[in-house]
């Protein structure tokens, strides 16, 4: 199979008809240059852009780690792993990150993958344990590398790169241009693939100021959410405790919200994202951790409960809406006397909120937890069949289903989940009794 056939085979597995111009340019740059700097907006397909050239660069018959991908967050690492698996290359991949069992990772690395993905801290930890060797790594990819630096991973990244003696290719990936690249990266005269728009079209993203008369903005946020006609929104706060407090206040007032930040354990983070993705909660209150890199739907509304310190984080937050020719709204909540950051325009449209908007409608779906996954030989077809036959659900009653290693989650219409749980209470799926309940 030649390279064109391989690419066509991969795209068919991904359900993509053709590469976009950025992906084509990135593939050409990575294959033909030692150093590549890829800059393209969130949602433009960067993951496939840097994974596709690896199919030609990795050697199937070599039992060693040949490419290392470093990412700032575990979610991004897992997303890249999922894309690689969907590509069906036949080449082994492993992912390493904090919160994942170390013993499992060491066992996986005993039979080295061709592609290793991980967060800088966890990869550095493995190197100190000699879990794998850097000797055969010829390609290094730093995805969202500027975010890794912001999160304080500079020391670990420098430690990892110092051991890469046989490196031939470096690929740096970001959604932001103009980032300072540290000298330890060794990016000499890179081929720059820059697909950031020269200017953001005002017709795509509309920014609106919302003024809070009170120092506490919670009531203003509540009224703003109620004004959105039950449409979903991402709500950004600057600190973890503010995220949890804000989410709790919304839920107390009848708004179905979940929270998400870096201080949560991995399972709780995954559940929050799953519930937001599948429509079981319509509002996700989060830190800048959700500003980029996450697999969540295109948003029509982004709300800045707090404004970030830096303009580039503001841009990344807004990048969650008005993507790929869509339109979106960015709401900035200001306390009446609040000093506005320098990057905020002075002539922004101000919107007035009423006191009598109706509460947002409850979410259409409820997330159902199943105590089995891929390692228990369960798949989506099994769950659909069981819920349809034994649970008496009809075709439109089931939404998104996500199957993990040892757990699964299914979105079920809010009007049907109680009857489903009653119907399957004493039933077995594939000959085994699983715990099936509303996800907490």
């Amino acid at each position: 199979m030649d390279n064109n056939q391989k690419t066509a085979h991969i795209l068919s597995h991904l359900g993509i008809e053709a590469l976009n111009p950025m992906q084509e340019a990135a593939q050409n740059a990575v294959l033909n240059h030692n150093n590549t700097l890829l800059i393209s907006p969130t949602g433009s397909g960067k993951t496939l852009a840097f994974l596709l050239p690896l199919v030609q660069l990795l050697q199937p018959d070599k039992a060693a780690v040949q490419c290392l991908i470093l990412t700032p967050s575990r979610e991004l690492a897992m997303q890249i792993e999922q894309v690689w698996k969907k590509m069906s290359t036949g080449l082994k991949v492993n992912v390493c990150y904090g919160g994942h069992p170390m013993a499992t990772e060491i066992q996986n690395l005993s039979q080295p993958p061709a592609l290793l993905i991980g967060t800088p801290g966890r990869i550095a930890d493995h190197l100190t344990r000699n879990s794998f060797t850097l000797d055969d790594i010829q390609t290094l990819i730093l995805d969202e590398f500027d975010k890794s630096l912001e999160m304080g991973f500079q020391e670990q990244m420098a430690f990892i790169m110092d051991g890469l003696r046989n490196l031939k290719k470096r690929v740096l990936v970001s959604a932001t241009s103009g980032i300072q690249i540290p000298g330890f990266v060794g990016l000499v005269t890179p081929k720059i693939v820059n697909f950031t728009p020269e200017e953001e079209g005002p017709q795509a993203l509309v920014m609106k100021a919302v003024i809070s008369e009170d120092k506490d903005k919670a009531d203003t946020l509540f009224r703003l959410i109620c004004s959105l006609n039950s449409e979903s929104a991402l709500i950004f706060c600057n600190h973890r405790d503010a995220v949890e407090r804000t989410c709790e206040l919304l839920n107390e007032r009848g708004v179905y919200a979940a929270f998400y930040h870096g201080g949560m354990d991995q399972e709780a983070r995954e559940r929050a994202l799953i519930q937001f993705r599948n429509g079981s909660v319509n509002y996700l209150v989060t830190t800048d951790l959700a500003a980029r890199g996450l697999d969540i739907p295109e948003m029509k509304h982004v709300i800045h409960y707090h404004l970030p310190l830096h303009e580039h984080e503001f841009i990344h937050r807004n990048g969650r809406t008005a993507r790929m020719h869509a339109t979106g709204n960015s709401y900035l909540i200001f306390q009446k006397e609040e000093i506005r950051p320098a990057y905020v325009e002075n002539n922004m449209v101000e919107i007035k909120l009423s006191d009598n908007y109706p509460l947002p409608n409850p979410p259409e779906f409820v997330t159902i937890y199943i105590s089995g996954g891929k390692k228990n030989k369960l798949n989506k077809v099994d769950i659909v069949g069981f819920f349809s036959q034994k649970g008496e659900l009809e075709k439109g009653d089931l939404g998104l289903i996500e199957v993990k290693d040892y757990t699964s989650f299914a979105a079920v219409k809010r009007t049907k989940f109680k009857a489903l749980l009653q119907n399957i209470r004493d039933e077995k799926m594939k000959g085994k009794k699983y715990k099936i309940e509303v996800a907490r």
Side-chain angles (χ1 to χ4, degrees):
M1 190 184 296
D2 65 23
N3 291 327
N4 288 337
Q5 289 174 318
K6 284 181 183 176
T7 300
H9 179 73
I10 288 166
L11 295 185
S12 70
H13 277 287
L14 296 172
I16 298 172
E17 289 186 13
L19 297 176
N20 63 36
M22 179 275 291
Q23 291 166 334
E24 289 181 349
Q27 180 170 354
N28 182 61
V30 172
L31 291 173
N32 295 299
H33 296 82
N34 291 335
N35 295 299
T36 301
L37 176 58
L38 171 59
I39 309 165
S40 190
T42 300
S44 56
K46 292 193 295 296
T47 301
L48 180 59
F50 63 71
L51 286 181
L52 201 52
L54 297 180
V55 179
Q56 296 182 48
L57 296 172
L58 300 178
Q59 300 174 41
D61 53 353
K62 182 181 275 192
V65 180
Q66 301 170 56
C67 175
L68 176 63
I69 301 178
L70 295 179
T71 77
S73 71
R74 49 187 101 167
E75 285 81 8
L76 186 52
M78 289 188 290
Q79 263 179 236
I80 297 169
E81 179 199 31
Q82 286 175 352
V83 174
W84 182 260
K85 285 183 173 178
K86 284 181 184 175
M87 288 167 65
S88 301
T89 64
L91 292 158
K92 187 183 177 187
V93 61
N94 283 136
V95 62
C96 299
Y97 52 84
H100 196 225
M102 177 62 80
T104 301
E105 292 182 357
I106 291 172
Q107 178 62 35
N108 289 337
L109 291 169
S110 66
Q111 295 181 305
L115 173 61
L116 179 60
I117 307 162
T119 51
R122 193 56 165 238
I123 295 297
D125 193 352
H126 277 293
L127 290 178
T128 62
R129 297 167 184 259
N130 296 314
S131 303
F132 71 101
T133 176
L134 299 174
D135 293 348
D136 294 280
I137 296 177
Q138 297 189 349
T139 304
L140 172 71
I141 298 172
L142 304 181
D143 193 14
E144 301 286 11
F145 73 95
D146 51 310
K147 186 69 175 174
S148 291
L149 294 173
E150 275 176 33
M151 292 174 70
F153 289 130
Q154 183 150 338
E155 190 176 322
Q156 293 97 325
M157 291 168 76
F159 168 69
I160 294 164
M161 288 176 212
D162 187 53
L164 293 167
R165 310 290 184 192
N166 300 310
L167 200 60
K168 291 184 177 178
K169 288 186 184 288
R170 293 170 176 83
V171 182
L172 269 66
V173 185
S174 178
T176 306
S177 56
I179 298 295
Q180 197 76 27
I181 301 171
F184 68 77
V185 176
L187 199 75
V188 181
T189 58
K191 172 66 176 178
I192 299 174
V193 180
N194 190 343
F195 274 76
T196 53
E198 290 185 13
E199 58 181 74
E200 295 295 330
Q203 74 285 353
L205 178 66
V206 180
M207 293 196 200
K208 302 174 182 179
V210 184
I211 308 302
S212 173
E213 296 291 333
D214 303 318
K215 192 171 182 181
D216 186 344
K217 302 175 183 177
D219 185 62
T220 303
L221 173 65
F222 172 73
R223 288 188 292 130
L224 173 60
I225 287 172
C226 292
S227 76
L228 301 181
N229 299 314
S230 300
E231 294 172 338
S232 297
L234 265 177
I235 301 152
F236 285 100
C237 301
N238 285 349
H239 305 289
R240 294 171 179 178
D241 58 344
V243 164
E244 295 193 22
R245 186 176 66 251
T246 303
C247 182
E248 185 179 353
L249 288 169
L250 290 176
N251 279 302
E252 284 174 358
R253 299 182 74 164
V255 175
Y256 288 76
F259 64 85
Y260 176 84
H261 61 67
M264 302 161 65
D265 66 47
Q266 184 60 26
E267 187 178 347
R269 280 162 70 165
E270 282 189 30
R271 287 195 186 200
L273 292 180
I274 286 168
Q275 289 177 315
F276 189 57
R277 270 199 296 266
N278 70 20
S280 295
V281 294
N282 290 336
Y283 306 97
L284 187 68
V285 189
T286 179
T287 59
D288 284 324
L289 187 62
R292 46 181 163 170
L294 291 187
D295 179 19
I296 54 178
E298 167 78 14
M299 302 307 304
K300 187 175 178 181
H301 306 290
V302 166
I303 299 172
H304 304 272
Y305 189 68
H306 298 137
L307 271 292
L309 291 175
H310 304 293
E311 182 177 12
H312 64 267
E313 286 301 345
F314 180 66
I315 292 168
H316 282 303
R317 290 180 179 187
N318 289 333
R320 282 292 169 192
T321 188
R323 290 182 353 210
M324 304 301 283
H325 313 297
T327 58
N329 300 299
S330 173
Y331 302 91
L332 289 67
I333 302 180
F334 295 109
Q335 195 271 330
K336 200 171 183 181
E337 307 300 326
E338 186 175 347
I339 297 173
R340 301 187 183 188
Y343 58 77
V344 172
E345 296 177 8
N346 290 324
N347 58 350
M348 199 180 302
V349 174
E350 289 189 10
I351 61 171
K352 304 291 184 185
L353 296 174
S354 165
D355 290 324
N356 53 10
Y357 296 112
L359 261 177
N361 295 328
E364 186 179 4
F365 291 97
V366 169
T367 299
I368 301 299
Y369 161 83
I370 303 160
S371 65
K374 295 173 188 172
K375 303 289 188 184
N376 308 100
K377 309 297 185 192
L378 284 185
N379 58 39
K380 290 182 183 180
V381 175
D382 298 325
I383 295 168
V384 171
F386 181 65
F387 280 13
S388 301
Q389 293 162 24
K390 302 294 185 181
E392 300 180 13
L393 292 186
E394 297 175 6
K395 188 176 180 182
D397 297 334
L398 260 176
L400 185 66
I401 298 172
E402 299 194 35
V403 182
K404 306 294 182 183
D405 283 347
Y406 296 101
T407 57
S408 301
F409 299 90
V412 175
K413 281 280 181 71
R414 183 169 293 275
T415 53
K416 297 293 182 76
F417 81 93
K418 289 181 181 177
L420 165 76
L421 295 177
Q422 179 66 30
N423 291 337
I424 63 176
R425 187 176 55 182
D426 300 316
E427 300 289 348
K428 293 181 178 180
M429 181 163 33
K430 295 185 77 172
K432 184 177 178 181
K433 188 82 169 67
Y434 290 100
K435 185 177 184 179
I436 302 176
E437 63 186 13
V438 176
R440 295 184 183 87

